[in-house]
Amino acid sequence: MKFSILTLFPEMFSALNESIIGRAKEKELIDIELINIRNFSKDKHKKVDDTPYGGGAGMILMPDVVYNAYKSINDEKAKVIYLSPQGKVFNQSKVQELAKENHLILLCGHYEGIDQRVIDEIVDEEISIGDYVLTGGEIPAMVLIDSISRYVEGVLSKESTQEESFSNGLLEYPQYTRPENFLGREVPEILKSGHHENINKWRKEKSLEITMVKRPDLIRKKED
């Protein structure tokens, strides 16, 4: 899986060199390419934005600079995603859908946005990570890379992704490790029994119970 990121702040993505994603990069299971949009400005001061037509606050990223950055990637088969609060809200089913792609181009907006003409020209899909506004698309892009990479073969075991929250439409059951007693709270006896059938049954019951308490909307979705 390859991710090409169009951004004004490539240094922000250094966090992806750590933990599971960092190891996946080292093993060449995923490839993260950073393209600095500013490098494609023809202005001597590397200017990439200008005031909006019609007036208004803030600055808008110019279409030609963004387009030239995009064209440098030279892969017409890649799916282009614009991280935008106007996009459809990201969820687990979208994660699994995008994990089937070979190459994703993630366009990170900044300031007051990007000239609509280049969005209309190159973007296949707009995605939001929630109903709130951030200063740019870099953090949402990292969210997509982290969540999608988990489904790339070899990054995690299939068991890990099958049992976690949202994979089956429910939240995950509670987890415990040593010590057996922590501040007077004991690990449930069933988990120490060694009876795998009963443990699996308990986990399914707890998963349903937790979902009903914390996210009843997920139960309603399954019923629909």
Side-chain angles (χ1 to χ4, degrees), residues 2-224:
K2 181 175 182 177
F3 299 94
S4 296
I5 306 162
L6 300 173
T7 174
L8 289 173
F9 301 97
E11 62 275 6
M12 290 183 66
F13 291 88
S14 61
L16 297 178
N17 294 325
E18 307 298 328
S19 190
I20 292 170
I21 305 304
R23 291 195 293 272
K25 287 176 62 180
E26 291 176 358
K27 295 177 181 178
E28 299 183 348
L29 298 173
I30 62 172
D31 178 17
I32 299 176
E33 176 187 28
L34 298 171
I35 296 104
N36 191 335
I37 295 171
R38 197 175 298 279
N39 291 341
F40 295 86
S41 172
K42 296 179 181 178
D43 180 82
K44 65 179 181 179
H45 301 296
K46 294 299 181 182
K47 182 179 174 64
V48 295
D49 56 356
D50 209 334
T51 55
Y53 275 106
M59 304 289 281
I60 308 297
L61 285 176
M62 295 184 289
D64 54 340
V65 180
V66 174
Y67 184 73
N68 290 336
Y70 159 74
K71 290 296 286 184
S72 74
I73 297 171
N74 195 30
D75 183 359
E76 294 182 357
K77 294 182 179 180
K79 186 180 184 71
V80 181
I81 296 173
Y82 175 39
L83 288 311
S84 162
Q86 296 185 16
K88 291 183 178 179
V89 177
F90 198 47
N91 58 28
Q92 195 69 15
S93 63
K94 178 58 69 173
V95 169
Q96 292 173 276
E97 176 189 325
L98 293 177
K100 297 174 184 177
E101 299 285 339
N102 293 319
H103 187 186
L104 294 175
I105 299 174
L106 306 181
L107 174 57
C108 304
H110 221 79
Y111 310 126
E112 286 299 311
I114 298 175
D115 188 297
Q116 185 64 40
R117 292 168 294 180
V118 74
I119 295 172
D120 294 340
E121 181 68 27
I122 70 172
V123 170
D124 296 308
E125 185 173 0
E126 294 187 37
I127 288 180
S128 167
I129 62 167
D131 293 335
Y132 47 86
V133 179
L134 299 171
T135 55
E138 284 76 19
I139 291 174
M142 284 188 269
V143 169
L144 263 67
I145 292 169
D146 187 288
S147 56
I148 293 168
S149 294
R150 296 165 59 82
Y151 282 85
V152 174
E153 186 174 355
V155 174
L156 290 177
S157 67
K158 288 186 178 180
E159 184 181 60
S160 295
T161 53
Q162 288 173 350
E163 295 188 1
E164 61 191 6
S165 293
F166 303 111
S167 291
N168 61 357
L170 300 174
L171 300 182
E172 189 178 7
Y173 48 81
Q175 299 277 19
Y176 301 86
T177 188
R178 294 179 178 79
E180 289 187 20
N181 183 302
F182 173 69
L183 300 178
R185 298 174 184 268
E186 296 279 351
V187 173
E189 286 296 325
I190 185 67
L191 299 179
K192 299 183 286 183
S193 68
H195 196 300
H196 296 296
E197 184 176 340
N198 287 345
I199 290 173
N200 288 335
K201 181 181 178 181
W202 179 88
R203 285 175 168 169
K204 289 178 181 177
E205 290 173 351
K206 284 296 179 181
S207 180
L208 181 59
E209 178 184 314
I210 288 172
T211 305
M212 290 180 68
V213 171
K214 295 183 177 181
R215 290 292 304 275
D217 57 300
L218 296 177
I219 301 293
R220 290 193 291 269
K221 284 182 181 178
K222 287 178 74 71
E223 291 174 349
D224 293 341

